[in-house]
Amino acid sequence: MHANEAVARVQRMRVLVALGGNALTADDGSAGPGDQISAAEAAMASVAELIVEGVDVVITHGNGPQVGNLLVKNELSASVVPPVPLDWCGAQTQATLGFILVNALEQSLAEQGVRRSTAVIVTRTRVDRDDPGFAKPSKPIGRYLTRDDAVALMDHGQRFEDRGERGWRRVVPSPEPREILDAGVVSILADQGYVVVAAGGGGVPVVREPDGTLRGVEAVIDKDLAAALLARSLKADRLVIATDVDNAVIGYGTPDAKPLGEVSVAEARRYADEGHFGSGSMGPKVEAVCRFVESAGRPGVITSLSNIVAGVRGESGTVVVPNG
Amino acid sequence: MHANEAVARVQRMRVLVALGGNALTADDGSAGPGDQISAAEAAMASVAELIVEGVDVVITHGNGPQVGNLLVKNELSASVVPPVPLDWCGAQTQATLGFILVNALEQSLAEQGVRRSTAVIVTRTRVDRDDPGFAKPSKPIGRYLTRDDAVALMDHGQRFEDRGERGWRRVVPSPEPREILDAGVVSILADQGYVVVAAGGGGVPVVREPDGTLRGVEAVIDKDLAAALLARSLKADRLVIATDVDNAVIGYGTPDAKPLGEVSVAEARRYADEGHFGSGSMGPKVEAVCRFVESAGRPGVITSLSNIVAGVRGESGTVVVPNG
């Protein structure tokens, strides 16, 4: 790197882009390897646009459908090979999704004559041992099972809820992310000009035992909340949560439905308190963006993947800004 | 980091330690999560000794038994979720083994009052598209199957060999590693004092297509040969291949059996040519060490995990040195 490039680098904007796990499957939700690769290629074409614009990018991603597949494998092969815990499933998806994302990104960049090095970091996220989420597992994961199959797994310590006609579904704790333990690695590499993929699936959840040991735990961390934490750790200029719509919407499903453009974090919080955003989908994204804006004092964006360049410029999407 | 620490760091010895995948299972070969974690703890206790001695360590590892488990899961769940290719299985084991190795290492170090940051890098290894290995798959992987089960998978393009009474076994290409594509990441982090786990299972095998795209391929890369390449890329002072014996042995199984101590690379090559080392076990380790010594001009060591501190000092184990 030449000295003037180093200077230029310092002045570049750093953006953390969070992709949904559903953005990494086929449109119909199929999550075979080919489906995931095609989706990664489409997603990285958009992210490459941002990089070509001169933005330094760190990427994180969800992993719901991909972990779903791994849980089915655990289940169907349990009599022959030992199932692996949920934290291992998360680690596995960090590796496979990271692998296909960087391959696709490097290719998209090369097509535009840009060369950037990439890195995929297996990332641990610390949660509290006494997080209330552990007492009351509430995050549904995996496929619906019959009562008998659910009972068999409940005998092995898993928790299931009866979801009526669709069947029984496993629920796991979703504790608050407290610290992205490997954020320092991401920071060093981003400073060196690498495009880094990190904290996939919210990070591999670990607790620190009283003796200092880190231990993986069976839990799911909200990837957007983890992204907010990582963005702050990295001193990112923007957190962009890429989703399947261009904007968060207030009054969704009513005649007064209105896409949100630029709003202060106080306004965004007020809309959230009024129940404008779904608890399973847009709600956590708005919460994550608000946390980033409040802690970092910089804007957070919710928009579609194809819209992220305009979103980062503040020209499109839902842009949550610090209170004026 | 203080300036004097930076100076001290430059003077430290850098060692690449390669662990066998079998060292990361229970003694009886069981490879459940608990077995792997216990084995990782034992292995990292030895590696921590090396770090406490003031050595900078990079870790790589095999993944045979762990990939074996993933292949069984692929097989038994194929009617419900799409199987993932072998390169993805490799990536998955980089994440899970890396995760448990760094947790165990940080703990071992903490017990000795030493704090070092760690990183796990999802690592791609480039192989040649026209490697002769692709024409003649020869590396056996996974469990033995009945003829009928093998035929069903052969209909899906997999290659199997009839191994007589034990059954049929899948064989895959084992191409030469040509380039550790993510070695730059490892180098940056090692320079910053991180203990890095990289190139697990020899790296995720990829080929570069004529248009520049990287594509994962169904192959197995010898982890020791990849380790030799990585050690050279990192300008390591020593490559240490940790195995289950203290020394390579010549005349193994004969009355003239003799453990090898310090030998020149020319001598080691001569013993290899004379067939002293098994083609499936010690042979590739000797080959890997010879390649490192020849290309880097520094010693390579084959010894047991519990012996690595003495091995690095040249006081124990089989130490292959440049020709005098």
Side-chain angles (χ1 to χ4, degrees):
Chain A
M1 187 161 58
H2 295 291
N4 54 350
E5 286 180 53
V7 171
R9 166 116 41 234
V10 168
Q11 295 165 341
R12 291 164 75 115
M13 180 183 268
R14 177 176 292 176
V15 173
L16 179 67
V17 176
L19 307 168
N22 292 319
L24 299 169
T25 66
D27 288 342
D28 68 359
S30 302
D35 304 312
Q36 293 187 46
I37 290 171
S38 297
E41 286 170 351
M44 291 302 97
S46 294
V47 171
E49 284 179 44
L50 203 54
I51 294 169
V52 169
E53 290 278 313
V55 170
D56 274 346
V57 171
V58 174
I59 298 166
T60 191
H61 59 82
N63 66 353
Q66 295 79 17
V67 164
N69 279 355
L70 295 175
L71 292 173
V72 172
K73 291 185 167 191
N74 259 348
E75 191 193 306
L76 297 180
S77 59
S79 63
V80 183
V81 292
V84 300
L86 196 49
D87 45 310
W88 286 38
C89 295
Q92 290 174 331
T93 65
Q94 288 187 347
T96 52
L97 286 167
F99 172 63
I100 65 177
L101 286 171
V102 297
N103 289 347
L105 180 64
E106 288 177 12
Q107 181 58 15
S108 277
L109 289 173
E111 282 164 10
Q112 305 195 52
V114 173
R115 197 169 183 288
R116 292 289 293 276
S117 294
T118 63
V120 179
I121 308 303
V122 178
T123 312
R124 298 164 294 178
T125 297
R126 187 178 62 74
V127 301
D128 287 338
R129 295 168 70 232
D130 57 359
D131 189 288
F134 287 112
K136 198 184 171 327
S138 60
K139 172 82 180 172
I141 60 166
R143 60 177 185 163
Y144 290 87
L145 298 182
T146 64
R147 184 177 186 287
D148 285 353
D149 286 347
V151 167
L153 290 166
M154 286 162 79
D155 287 345
H156 286 89
Q158 296 186 9
R159 185 151 172 168
F160 278 76
E161 283 181 357
D162 182 355
R163 297 292 178 111
E165 281 188 11
R166 298 188 68 179
W168 288 63
R169 197 148 182 228
R170 184 174 175 193
V171 285
V172 296
S174 185
E176 280 282 328
R178 293 298 178 191
E179 183 184 4
I180 311 294
L181 292 171
D182 301 287
V185 178
V186 184
S187 188
I188 287 170
L189 294 170
D191 284 348
Q192 296 272 339
Y194 277 75
V195 181
V196 185
V197 180
V204 185
V206 296
V207 294
R208 195 178 291 285
E209 300 288 15
D211 70 355
T213 317
L214 292 173
R215 180 172 57 82
V217 287
E218 300 230 42
V220 165
I221 297 174
D222 183 277
K223 76 107 179 31
D224 293 314
L225 297 183
L229 202 52
L230 180 60
R232 191 178 60 185
S233 301
L234 297 176
K235 299 182 170 49
D237 298 291
R238 298 285 183 282
L239 167 63
V240 177
I241 298 187
T243 181
D244 48 2
V245 292
D246 289 343
N247 296 73
V249 171
I250 52 173
Y252 185 78
T254 73
D256 300 326
K258 186 187 135 202
L260 273 184
E262 182 175 308
V263 289
S264 72
V265 65
E267 282 177 275
R269 285 265 183 223
R270 183 162 49 81
Y271 291 131
D273 288 345
E274 291 170 4
H276 281 280
F277 313 116
S279 66
S281 53
M282 193 54 82
K285 295 186 204 313
V286 172
E287 172 66 24
V289 163
C290 288
R291 288 188 190 182
F292 173 72
V293 177
E294 287 163 350
S295 63
R298 301 194 184 97
V301 181
I302 298 173
T303 195
S304 60
L305 253 177
S306 56
N307 216 26
I308 56 176
V309 172
V312 165
R313 286 190 187 135
E315 296 166 357
S316 186
T318 295
V319 182
V320 179
V321 298
N323 297 322
Chain B
M1 188 161 56
H2 294 290
N4 55 350
E5 285 179 52
V7 170
R9 167 118 40 237
V10 168
Q11 294 165 342
R12 291 164 75 115
M13 180 183 269
R14 177 177 293 177
V15 174
L16 178 67
V17 176
L19 307 168
N22 292 320
L24 299 170
T25 66
D27 289 342
D28 67 0
S30 302
D35 304 312
Q36 293 186 45
I37 291 171
S38 297
E41 287 169 351
M44 290 304 96
S46 294
V47 170
E49 283 179 43
L50 202 53
I51 294 169
V52 170
E53 289 280 311
V55 171
D56 274 345
V57 170
V58 174
I59 298 166
T60 191
H61 58 82
N63 66 353
Q66 295 80 15
V67 164
N69 279 356
L70 294 175
L71 293 173
V72 173
K73 291 185 167 193
N74 259 348
E75 191 194 305
L76 296 180
S77 59
S79 62
V80 183
V81 292
V84 300
L86 196 49
D87 44 311
W88 285 39
C89 296
Q92 289 173 331
T93 65
Q94 288 188 347
T96 52
L97 287 166
F99 172 64
I100 65 177
L101 286 170
V102 296
N103 288 348
L105 180 64
E106 289 176 12
Q107 181 58 16
S108 278
L109 289 172
E111 283 163 10
Q112 305 194 52
V114 173
R115 198 171 182 289
R116 292 289 293 276
S117 295
T118 63
V120 179
I121 308 303
V122 178
T123 312
R124 298 165 294 179
T125 297
R126 188 178 61 74
V127 301
D128 287 339
R129 295 168 69 232
D130 57 0
D131 189 288
F134 288 112
K136 199 183 171 326
S138 60
K139 172 81 179 173
I141 60 167
R143 59 177 185 163
Y144 290 87
L145 299 182
T146 64
R147 185 177 186 287
D148 285 353
D149 286 346
V151 167
L153 289 166
M154 287 163 78
D155 287 345
H156 286 88
Q158 296 187 8
R159 185 150 171 168
F160 278 77
E161 282 181 356
D162 182 356
R163 297 292 179 110
E165 280 187 14
R166 298 189 67 179
W168 289 62
R169 197 148 182 228
R170 184 174 176 194
V171 285
V172 296
S174 185
E176 280 283 328
R178 293 298 179 191
E179 184 185 3
I180 310 295
L181 291 172
D182 302 286
V185 178
V186 184
S187 187
I188 287 170
L189 294 170
D191 285 349
Q192 297 272 339
Y194 277 75
V195 180
V196 186
V197 180
V204 185
V206 296
V207 294
R208 195 177 290 283
E209 300 288 14
D211 71 355
T213 318
L214 292 173
R215 181 171 58 82
V217 288
E218 299 230 43
V220 165
I221 298 174
D222 184 277
K223 77 107 180 30
D224 294 313
L225 297 183
L229 202 52
L230 180 60
R232 191 179 59 185
S233 301
L234 297 177
K235 298 184 171 49
D237 298 291
R238 297 286 183 280
L239 166 64
V240 177
I241 297 186
T243 183
D244 48 1
V245 292
D246 289 343
N247 295 74
V249 171
I250 52 173
Y252 186 78
T254 74
D256 299 326
K258 186 188 135 200
L260 273 183
E262 182 174 310
V263 288
S264 73
V265 64
E267 281 177 275
R269 285 266 184 222
R270 183 161 51 79
Y271 291 130
D273 289 345
E274 291 170 6
H276 281 280
F277 313 117
S279 65
S281 55
M282 193 53 83
K285 296 185 203 313
V286 172
E287 172 65 24
V289 163
C290 287
R291 287 188 190 183
F292 173 73
V293 177
E294 287 163 349
S295 62
R298 302 194 183 96
V301 182
I302 299 172
T303 195
S304 59
L305 254 176
S306 56
N307 216 25
I308 57 176
V309 172
V312 165
R313 288 189 187 137
E315 295 166 358
S316 186
T318 295
V319 181
V320 179
V321 299
N323 297 322

